[in-house]
C-alpha cells in the first residue's frame, strides 16, 4: 500500500472530532463496530450509503449478488437509524444518483456542508484510489481509518512478510493462532498439532439427511430490491430467484448457528468432496456474510471453538474451519495489499486464451464443469474445491488468461471482492504469481475429480482414458500442461516427478497427448 493510501491511525480522539462529519459507508462495510462509526457521533454526524451503478458493472456482478448486497445495505441503514443515526440512503434509481462513490460523496458534501469526511479504508485497490482522491476533490479533510474487522492489521502482515523468501500460509496461520489464542493450550496447539488437514480428504456419499443452509423468505425490502435488480440488471449473469440469502445480521447469525449445529461436525472430513445435486455439502456458506460485514470473523471462530470445547464437534472440523478464517482469509488479504496493484496482471505462465463461453452458459459435456457452473448460476455459490479443482484447474490446464478468469470469479460469486478473490484466482488457482501463494500449480487430471466426487459416473467422457474422443479432457490437457510448462515448473520438486513420468511415456503416446489436447483446445 502506498503511503498516500495508507489509513491514518487517528480515531475518535482526533482533533477534528468536534466537527460535523460525513461518514461514508461502503457496501461491504455493514458492521455496527466499523471504525468510521466508532469515530463519529450519532447526535451530530451524518452517514451516507449509496447504491451505485458503477459498482454493479465494473464487473457485471451476478444478479443475486447485487440483490443480496443492496438488500443487506438497506437493512443496515434501517439498523443504524433504529440506533439513532441520521442516514442518507441513496437507492440505485434515486433521481440524481451519479452512479459512483465520488459523485455521491460530492452531492452529499454540497447538500450538507460537513467539515470533514470519515471513512473506513476500502477493501479494493480500485476503490482505495477513489478515496485517496476525495480530499483534493472535495476540498475537505478526509480521514481514512483502518478496517479493524480484520484480525491481522496490514502493518503486522507487512512486518511478517518482510524479509521472508517464502510467504507460506501455514507459518502465518500459526502466528495468528498465537495472536488470537484460538485453539491454544498455553503456548501449544490444542490436540498437539497445528493442522489436521490430513484427516480432511474423504469423499462424500449421497445422503438424504445432508444439512442444507437455511432459506430466508424475502421480506418487502428484499422484494423491492429484487424488482429493481430484475429491471436494471436483466442482462447480468445468474438467476435472481429463488432468493434465500440472509440480509440482516440476525438472520446471518441464525444461518451460522445452523451450520455449527448441523454441518460443522463433518465440515473437516468432507471439505474436499463434491456431489451431484449437493451444492453446499458440509460447507458454511457464510463468506458472503463475513465479507460484507454481517458476520464478524473472530466471533464466528470463537463460536466454533466453544462448540469444540463443549464436545459438539471434532478437532479436525474446528481446526479446519478456524484455519480457513484466521489463516487463509487473513493471509490472502495481506498478500493482496502487499502486492497490488501489479498483482492483478500477474501471468507467469503467459496464458492468453479467452475464457471459454461455457463459463457463462454452463453448456459443456464435462459433467464436473457443468455442475459447478450451473449451481454458480443458480446460487451465486460454489464451494472451494469446485472453484479450485474444477473451474480453476480446467482454466489452468487450458491456458486461460488469468485476468479474464479473475473477472469471472469476481462477478459470479456472492462472496467475491477483489481482496479475497484475486489472490485465490491468480495465485492459488492459476499459479500466475509463480508460486508466491501456492507451493505448486493446482494442475490435476480427471483422477482427482473422480476420487473426490461422483461426477465422472454420469459424464459422457471416460475418466480412465488419457487420449481420444472419449477420454476425459482433463487427462490429455494435464499431460500437455506438464509438457508445455516443464521449463517453468520442472524445478518445483512437487512437479518434477510428473515431468519424469511424462518423459517415460513412449513417443507415440506423447504425440497422442499433444493431438488430443490440441483437439480439445481447438473446440474451446
Ligand atoms: P467454507 O468452505 O465453509 O469455509 C469457511 C470460511 O472460510 C469461508 O466462508 C471463508 O470466509 C473462509 N475461507 C475458506 N477458504 C478460503 C480461502 N481460500 N480464502 C479466503 N477465505 C477462505 N472466497 C471468498 O470469500 N471470496 C471470493 O471471492 C473467493 N474467490 C475464490 C476464487 C477461487 C478461484 C478460489 C479457489 C477460492 C475462492 N474463495 C473465495 C475461497 C473459498 O472458495 C470461499 O471462501 C468459500 O468457498 C466460501 O464458501 P463457504 O462460506 O461455504 O466456505
Ligand atoms: C459489490 C458492490 C456492489 C455490487 N454495489 C455496491 C454499491 O452499490 N454501493 C456500494 O457502496 N458498494 C457496492 N459494492 C461493494 C463495493 O464494490 C465495495 O465496497 C468495494 O468493492 C470494496 O472496496
Ligand atoms: Fe470431469 Fe473428466 Fe470426470 Fe467428466 S470424466 S466429470 S470431464 S473429470
Amino acid at each position: 500500500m502506498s503511503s498516500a493510501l495508507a489509513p491514518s491511525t487517528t480515531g475518535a480522539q482526533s482533533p477534528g472530532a468536534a466537527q460535523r462529519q460525513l461518514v461514508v459507508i461502503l457496501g461491504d462495510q455493514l458492521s455496527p463496530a466499523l471504525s468510521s462509526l466508532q469515530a463519529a457521533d450519532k447526535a451530530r454526524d451524518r452517514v451516507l450509503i449509496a447504491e451505485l451503478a458503477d459498482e454493479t458493472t465494473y464487473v457485471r456482478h451476478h444478479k443475486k449478488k447485487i440483490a443480496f448486497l443492496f438488500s443487506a445495505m438497506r437493512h443496515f441503514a434501517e439498523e443504524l437509524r433504529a440506533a439513532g443515526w441520521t442516514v442518507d440512503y441513496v437507492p440505485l434509481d434515486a433521481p440524481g444518483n451519479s452512479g459512483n462513490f465520488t459523485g455521491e460523496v460530492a452531492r452529499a458534501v454540497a447538500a450538507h456542508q460537513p467539515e470533514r469526511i470519515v471513512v473506513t479504508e476500502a477493501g479494493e485497490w480500485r476503490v482505495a484510489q477513489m478515496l485517496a482522491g476525495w480530499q483534493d476533490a472535495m476540498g475537505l479533510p478526509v480521514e481514512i481509518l483502518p478496517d479493524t474487522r480484520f484480525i491481522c492489521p496490514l502493518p503486522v502482515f507487512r512486518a511478517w512478510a518482510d524479509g521472508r523468501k517464502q510467504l507460506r500460509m501455514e507459518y502465518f496461520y500459526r502466528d495468528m493462532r498465537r495472536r488470537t489464542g484460538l485453539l491454544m493450550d498455553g503456548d501449544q496447539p490444542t490436540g498437539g498439532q497445528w493442522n489436521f488437514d490430513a484427516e480432511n480428504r474423504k469423499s462424500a456419499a449421497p445422503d438424504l439427511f445432508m444439512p442444507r443452509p437455511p432459506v430466508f423468505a424475502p421480506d418487502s425490502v428484499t422484494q423491492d430490491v429484487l424488482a429493481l435488480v430484475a429491471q436494471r440488471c436483466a442482462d447480468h449473469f445468474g438467476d435472481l430467484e429463488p432468493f434465500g440469502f440472509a440480509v440482516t445480521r440476525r438472520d446471518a447469525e441464525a444461518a451460522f448457528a445452523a451450520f455449527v449445529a448441523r454441518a460443522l461436525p463433518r465440515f473437516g472430513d468432507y471439505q474436499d468432496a463434491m456431489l451431484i445435486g449437493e451444492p453446499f455439502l458440509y460447507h458454511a456458506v457464510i463468506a458472503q456474510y463475513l465479507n460484507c460485514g454481517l458476520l464478524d470473523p473472530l466471533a464466528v471462530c470463537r463460536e466454533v471453538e466453544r462448540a469444540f470445547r463443549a464436545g459438539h464437534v471434532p478437532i479436525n472440523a474446528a481446526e479446519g474451519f478456524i484455519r480457513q478464517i484466521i489463516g487463509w482469509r487473513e493471509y490472502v488479504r495481506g498478500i493482496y495489499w502487499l502486492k497490488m496493484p501489479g498483482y492483478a496482471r500477474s501471468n507467469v505462465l503467459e496464458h492468453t486464451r479467452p475464457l471459454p463461453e461455457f463459463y457463462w452458459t454452463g453448456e459443456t459435456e464435462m459433467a464436473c464443469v457443468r455442475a459447478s457452473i450451473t449451481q454458480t448460476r443458480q446460487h451465486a455459490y460454489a464451494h472451494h474445491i469446485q472453484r479450485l479443482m474444477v473451474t480453476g484447474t480446467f482454466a489452468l490446464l487450458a491456458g486461460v488468461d488469468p485476468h479474464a478468469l479473475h473477472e469471472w470469479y469476481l462477478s459470479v460469486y456472492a462472496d467475491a471482492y477483489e481482496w479475497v478473490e484475486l489472490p485465490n484466482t491468480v495465485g492459488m488457482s492459476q499459479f500466475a504469481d509463480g508460486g508466491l501463494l501456492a507451493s505448486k500449480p493446482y494442475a490435476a487430471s480427471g483422477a482427482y475429480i473422480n476420487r473426490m466426487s461422483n461426477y465422472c459416473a454420469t459424464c459422457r467422457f471416460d475418466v480412465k482414458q488419457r487420449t481420444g474422443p472419449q477420454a476425459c479432457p482433463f487427462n490429455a490437457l494435464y499431460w500437455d500442461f506438464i509438457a508445455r510448462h516443464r521449463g517453468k515448473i520442472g524445478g518445483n520438486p512437487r512437479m518434477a516427478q510428473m515431468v519424469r513420468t511424462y518423459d517415460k511415456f513412449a513417443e507415440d503416446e506423447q504425440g497422442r497427448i499433444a493431438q488430443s489436447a490440441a483437439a480439445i483446445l481447438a473446440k474451446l
Side-chain angles (χ1 to χ4, degrees):
M1 191 189 256
S2 78
S3 56
L5 299 180
S8 83
T9 48
T10 51
Q13 299 81 23
S14 65
Q19 300 168 321
R20 275 183 309 118
Q21 306 185 111
L22 180 68
V23 182
V24 182
I25 296 189
L26 314 183
D28 56 355
Q29 299 184 342
L30 311 181
S31 314
L34 197 70
S35 52
S36 57
L37 286 169
Q38 299 298 315
D41 177 351
K42 64 175 81 162
R44 181 196 61 209
D45 299 330
R46 182 177 287 269
V47 170
L48 172 68
I49 305 178
E51 294 171 9
L52 304 166
D54 283 8
E55 293 305 303
T56 66
T57 55
Y58 73 95
V59 293
R60 299 170 77 75
H61 295 288
H62 194 301
K63 293 188 198 82
K64 204 165 264 177
K65 175 182 188 179
I66 298 172
F68 161 66
L69 203 60
F70 282 8
S71 183
M73 287 162 64
R74 290 182 184 198
H75 282 94
F76 184 62
E78 283 315 309
E79 187 185 336
L80 289 181
R81 283 184 184 128
W85 291 91
T86 305
V87 182
D88 268 15
Y89 190 94
V90 188
L92 189 70
D93 53 0
N97 184 339
S98 63
N100 64 77
F101 281 120
T102 303
E104 284 318 283
V105 172
R107 287 204 316 141
V109 166
H112 305 299
Q113 306 285 313
E115 288 154 284
R116 60 206 298 274
I117 296 169
V118 58
V119 60
T120 293
E121 64 187 326
E124 296 189 357
W125 176 266
R126 178 184 61 85
V127 183
Q129 281 179 302
M130 293 181 204
L131 267 52
W134 286 354
Q135 188 141 322
D136 286 346
M138 313 295 159
L140 286 178
V142 177
E143 187 161 23
I144 302 174
L145 298 169
D147 192 341
T148 50
R149 297 172 303 170
F150 288 95
I151 300 159
C152 181
L154 292 172
V156 172
F157 188 88
R158 271 195 296 276
W160 175 81
D162 201 27
R164 280 175 199 253
K165 265 210 214 116
Q166 289 199 314
L167 302 180
R168 289 285 163 254
M169 196 290 293
E170 184 61 30
Y171 298 110
F172 169 76
Y173 165 58
R174 291 178 191 181
D175 282 359
M176 294 294 285
R177 289 271 294 275
R178 294 187 188 99
R179 188 180 172 87
T180 57
L182 282 161
L183 292 181
M184 295 297 292
D185 294 329
D187 60 357
Q188 292 303 307
T190 301
Q193 278 168 235
W194 291 103
N195 183 318
F196 291 80
D197 224 9
E199 296 172 30
N200 292 353
R201 305 269 154 75
K202 299 189 179 72
S203 57
D207 179 351
L208 274 180
F209 303 103
M210 183 93 54
R212 300 216 164 72
V215 171
F216 299 89
D219 63 5
S220 62
V221 173
T222 302
Q223 281 168 10
D224 286 351
V225 166
L226 291 172
L228 178 70
V229 173
Q231 189 212 347
R232 292 285 293 259
C233 308
D235 56 348
H236 287 221
F237 172 81
D239 299 348
L240 182 56
E241 298 192 61
F243 183 94
F245 284 135
V247 290
T248 62
R249 192 170 320 287
R250 201 189 54 191
D251 284 352
E253 282 165 2
F256 176 65
F259 160 72
V260 172
R262 299 186 343 225
L264 176 63
R266 304 175 101 178
F267 169 85
D269 289 352
Y270 300 120
Q271 216 177 321
D272 290 3
M274 296 172 280
L275 279 180
I276 287 175
E278 292 294 348
F280 310 110
L281 284 111
Y282 299 95
H283 290 271
V285 198
I286 57 162
Q288 69 280 18
Y289 306 138
L290 287 168
N291 295 350
C292 77
L294 291 188
L295 289 179
D296 177 67
L298 194 54
V300 300
C301 291
R302 297 238 183 270
E303 195 54 43
V304 165
E305 175 166 26
R306 255 195 300 279
F308 162 71
R309 301 247 180 237
H312 299 319
V313 299
I315 181 77
N316 67 315
E319 187 281 317
F321 179 88
I322 287 172
R323 172 158 30 89
Q324 305 311 316
I325 303 221
I326 67 169
W328 281 111
R329 186 172 186 272
E330 296 284 327
Y331 169 80
V332 298
R333 177 190 184 237
I335 295 280
Y336 177 82
W337 285 106
L338 197 63
K339 295 294 172 186
M340 280 299 280
Y343 201 66
R345 290 286 165 186
S346 310
N347 192 359
V348 161
L349 298 178
E350 298 177 66
H351 285 169
T352 55
R353 186 174 302 281
L355 187 72
E357 186 57 22
F358 61 70
Y359 275 73
W360 298 110
T361 63
E363 287 167 17
T364 164
E365 292 181 306
M366 293 181 281
C368 53
V369 178
R370 190 172 61 235
S372 302
I373 294 174
T374 303
Q375 73 166 69
T376 298
R377 204 179 56 225
Q378 292 169 335
H379 303 292
Y381 179 84
H383 68 68
H384 186 66
I385 295 301
Q386 294 174 307
R387 298 186 206 195
L388 185 64
M389 301 307 294
V390 179
T391 46
T393 293
F394 186 84
L396 174 68
L397 300 182
V400 170
D401 171 9
H403 197 263
L405 187 71
H406 144 62
E407 293 194 329
W408 183 78
Y409 281 111
L410 184 57
S411 62
V412 302
Y413 291 114
D415 55 39
Y417 297 87
E418 196 180 77
W419 63 266
V420 51
E421 175 278 328
L422 186 74
N424 269 298
T425 302
V426 156
M428 190 186 303
S429 159
Q430 298 302 295
F431 205 70
D433 63 6
L436 176 78
L437 204 136
S439 55
K440 72 173 187 62
Y442 278 94
S445 67
Y448 174 84
I449 293 175
N450 194 31
R451 193 163 59 247
M452 297 314 303
S453 79
N454 61 0
Y455 292 143
C456 302
T458 66
C459 188
R460 96 121 175 97
F461 296 110
D462 181 353
V463 71
K464 299 273 191 278
Q465 290 188 39
R466 192 182 292 146
T467 59
Q470 300 308 319
C472 166
F474 281 75
N475 292 344
L477 288 179
Y478 173 71
W479 290 111
D480 191 57
F481 174 89
I482 300 286
R484 261 186 294 139
H485 289 304
R486 59 184 306 149
K488 285 191 173 130
I489 60 171
N492 181 315
R494 299 176 68 187
M495 297 310 286
Q497 175 59 37
M498 304 322 292
V499 174
R500 280 196 296 275
T501 305
Y502 175 83
D503 286 342
K504 284 188 199 144
F505 290 155
E507 226 171 86
D508 52 352
E509 179 64 359
Q510 292 183 353
R512 280 192 292 274
I513 288 171
Q515 248 177 18
S516 283
I520 296 162
L521 294 176
K523 276 200 200 152
L524 298 180

